[in-house]
Amino acid sequence: MLTVEKIGGTSMSALADVIKNIVYFNDQPYNRVLVVSAFSGVTNLLLENKKTKAPGVYHRIVQHEDFHTPLQELVSKLKEINQQYQSLGLDLAIADAFIEQHVAKAQTYLESAAIMLASGYVNEGVLQAAREILASIGETHSAYVLTNILQNKGLNARLVDLSGFDDQKPFTIDQRIKDAFANIDLQNCICIATGYTKGTEGIMREFDRGYSEVTFSKIAEILKPQEAIIHKEYHLSTADPALVGIDNVQPVGNTNYDIADQLADVGMEAIHPKASKPLEINGIHLRIKNTFEPAHPGTLITREYVSTLKRVEVITGTDQLLLIDIYDPLMVGNVGSDMQIMQLFYQHNTSYTFKTTSANSITIVIWENDFKQELIDDLQALFEKVTYEPVAMVCLLGTNMDQPGLLAKSATALAKSDINIISAGVALRKVNIQFLIAREQFKTAIIALNKAVG
């Protein structure tokens, strides 16, 4: 059975477990493509810290600062990582030489980019190219390390480097993937593919830090495996074990792509939503597995699945949202107020996760990181009163949870924990029940809902 499998950065850093629990699991290493992320933390050093936004090498280039020193510090960091895996069979001298040569070539490209930026003639396109070059380094390194180790263990392992550093001609992303796999006998080897793919359209231009899952998805779309698998350091669970306790959750088991989209909408990604679409459209099943529990089947996501039992499958949410309330007494009976608001959101490239209306007001919830004062200013120019405040959202998700009393039961559970519901929303399909609450009550709300309906 051909499988295309994605291994995340945290799992990659536990490389001994990856080899034992993924590569050699069930003694069937071949007819598989492993798409690997960079080792944990490496892309943060190259670009910026995903959580704290602390700047990496990329931002030195943006600010016209010296980037050579942090780039060489990165080389030292990658060599330290190599050292950790020498005991697994890595040829340390060869791996160190590879990364030195690779980063030296990247540095040459980046120096040319810096000169172009300094000229003042170009900006955005060069910066995007620099971001692509830097992003590719982490995945090229991790893919090389894993391939080298597996080859030294006697496996027929093939490195599929999609970074395009030595291009002779331009390729789109799809063309590059098709070309790379065209002459590989998949049944008799294991392929280790870089999570970054170079393409003329620029994989980061649209997907940015979600690019490795997009590479994974596009490879699956082209190769048509029986199953696509994402290996994470945790199960896709009924709630966050860090909030409610490991004994109070269980793996979801089965769900569908609609629920995967709902999860992504509140930041709990089983898979990047733009990466899931090719799998969903092509009817490719997606399995989420725990790297450290290889015998567990994990959670299977399919297009058609609907639970035979009426149940809540996942309780989740986020405390990183901002509520924007737009009030104007002239809204009532006025056609077009909502359109005016949406046009401004579009102009400021701001999406929302929740919206509700009354006669004279429209309430919209966005990610706090997407806040722009200019958007607020433009709204205030058109409407009488515009306010905003930090909030949290808790959600009940399920493929079949249309049952009498669920909304009341959930609201009661929140009330018993002294949690006031700021707003609530349920779309017609009833796969997502959303409650807006005070940010500081987020954890309490998740625990209360998990006890009541989980």
Side-chain angles (χ1 to χ4, degrees), residues 411-422:
T412 299
L414 295 174
K416 285 181 178 179
S417 294
D418 295 322
I419 297 171
N420 183 50
I421 298 172
I422 298 172

Side-chain angles (χ1 to χ4, degrees), residues 194-230:
T194 56
Y196 172 86
T197 305
K198 180 183 177 185
T200 52
E201 63 269 55
I203 197 168
M204 297 196 71
R205 184 174 290 110
E206 184 173 358
F207 307 109
D208 202 61
R209 294 290 287 270
Y211 62 84
S212 61
E213 288 191 352
V214 173
T215 292
F216 157 76
S217 174
K218 284 185 172 291
I219 291 174
E221 182 183 14
I222 289 166
L223 297 184
K224 300 291 192 298
Q226 278 72 27
E227 195 167 274
I229 303 171
I230 295 180

Side-chain angles (χ1 to χ4, degrees), residues 371-383:
F371 173 77
K372 298 181 181 74
Q373 184 61 49
E374 295 85 357
L375 170 61
I376 301 299
D377 294 342
D378 285 349
L379 288 169
Q380 289 174 334
L382 289 177
F383 301 97

Side-chain angles (χ1 to χ4, degrees), residues 112-409:
S112 298
I115 292 171
M116 292 289 287
L117 288 169
S119 73
Y121 288 113
V122 290
N123 192 342
E124 184 178 351
V126 172
L127 285 175
Q128 186 64 45
R131 193 166 176 82
E132 300 259 349
I133 291 166
L134 287 167
S136 72
I137 293 172
E139 275 77 17
T140 300
H141 170 246
S142 59
Y144 182 89
V145 167
L146 180 54
T147 305
N148 181 269
I149 291 171
L150 297 183
Q151 288 173 344
N152 290 336
K153 289 182 179 295
L155 288 182
N156 182 18
R158 291 280 300 269
L159 173 62
V160 182
D161 187 352
L162 300 170
S163 67
F165 254 46
D166 299 308
D167 269 357
Q168 300 300 314
K169 60 179 180 178
F171 283 116
T172 65
I173 293 169
D174 284 357
Q175 287 171 342
R176 184 175 303 282
I177 292 171
K178 289 176 182 177
D179 181 74
F181 285 96
N183 299 311
I184 297 178
D185 179 9
L186 293 171
Q187 291 190 7
N188 295 299
C189 76
I190 181 170
C191 291
I192 312 301
T194 56
Y196 172 86
T197 305
K198 180 183 177 185
T200 52
E201 63 269 55
I203 197 168
M204 297 196 71
R205 184 174 290 110
E206 184 173 358
F207 307 109
D208 202 61
R209 294 290 287 270
Y211 62 84
S212 61
E213 288 191 352
V214 173
T215 292
F216 157 76
S217 174
K218 284 185 172 291
I219 291 174
E221 182 183 14
I222 289 166
L223 297 184
K224 300 291 192 298
Q226 278 72 27
E227 195 167 274
I229 303 171
I230 295 180
H231 299 275
K232 294 180 178 284
E233 67 274 18
Y234 49 79
H235 283 294
L236 180 60
S237 299
T238 51
D240 185 347
L243 295 178
V244 305
I246 191 69
D247 295 332
N248 298 313
V249 301
Q250 57 186 355
V252 174
N254 293 88
T255 192
N256 62 32
Y257 281 105
D258 190 355
I259 299 302
D261 289 342
Q262 305 298 328
L263 286 167
D265 203 39
V266 291
M268 185 183 169
E269 285 186 9
I271 182 173
H272 191 289
K274 290 184 178 179
S276 70
K277 290 305 142 188
L279 303 179
E280 181 179 0
I281 291 168
N282 287 278
I284 299 171
H285 295 175
L286 173 65
R287 190 177 298 274
I288 310 295
K289 291 198 67 174
N290 186 330
T291 301
F292 307 103
E293 293 185 38
H296 196 290
T299 296
L300 186 64
I301 301 173
T302 64
R303 188 166 55 185
E304 302 84 7
Y305 177 80
V306 176
S307 174
T308 55
L309 300 175
K310 292 186 181 298
R311 64 186 179 108
V312 175
E313 291 168 15
V314 185
I315 297 168
T316 187
T318 177
D319 60 355
Q320 300 298 312
L321 300 174
L322 203 67
L323 179 153
I324 301 174
D325 187 70
I326 303 130
Y327 167 83
D328 197 303
L330 298 179
M331 276 189 189
V332 61
N334 179 40
V335 177
S337 296
D338 186 61
M339 183 181 71
Q340 287 179 294
I341 293 170
M342 288 297 95
Q343 284 176 333
L344 288 177
F345 271 71
Y346 178 78
Q347 290 171 19
H348 289 279
N349 194 31
T350 303
S351 62
Y352 64 89
T353 61
F354 178 97
K355 182 168 76 169
T356 187
T357 67
S358 66
N360 293 323
S361 69
I362 296 176
T363 300
I364 298 173
V365 175
I366 67 171
W367 286 98
E368 187 172 40
N369 284 341
D370 292 338
F371 173 77
K372 298 181 181 74
Q373 184 61 49
E374 295 85 357
L375 170 61
I376 301 299
D377 294 342
D378 285 349
L379 288 169
Q380 289 174 334
L382 289 177
F383 301 97
E384 182 175 303
K385 186 178 181 181
V386 178
T387 59
Y388 58 91
E389 61 180 287
V391 293
M393 177 189 288
V394 289
C395 308
L396 309 180
L397 307 179
T399 56
N400 181 14
M401 58 179 193
D402 185 12
Q403 50 185 296
L406 178 59
L407 183 60
K409 189 176 182 181

Side-chain angles (χ1 to χ4, degrees), residues 41-49 53-78 103 106-111 113-114 117 127 130-135 137-138 209:
V42 170
T43 307
N44 288 342
L45 296 175
L46 287 160
L47 302 178
E48 66 279 316
N49 189 292
K53 306 304 179 185
V57 178
Y58 171 72
H59 291 274
R60 294 290 190 98
I61 297 172
V62 173
Q63 299 299 324
H64 305 284
E65 297 174 353
D66 169 48
F67 64 87
H68 296 81
T69 300
L71 200 57
Q72 290 311 305
E73 289 172 352
L74 176 82
V75 172
S76 298
K77 172 66 175 178
L78 298 183
V103 173
Q107 182 172 301
T108 301
Y109 295 152
L110 294 170
E111 285 169 348
L117 288 169
L127 285 175
R131 193 166 176 82
E132 300 259 349
I133 291 166
L134 287 167
I137 293 172
R209 294 290 287 270

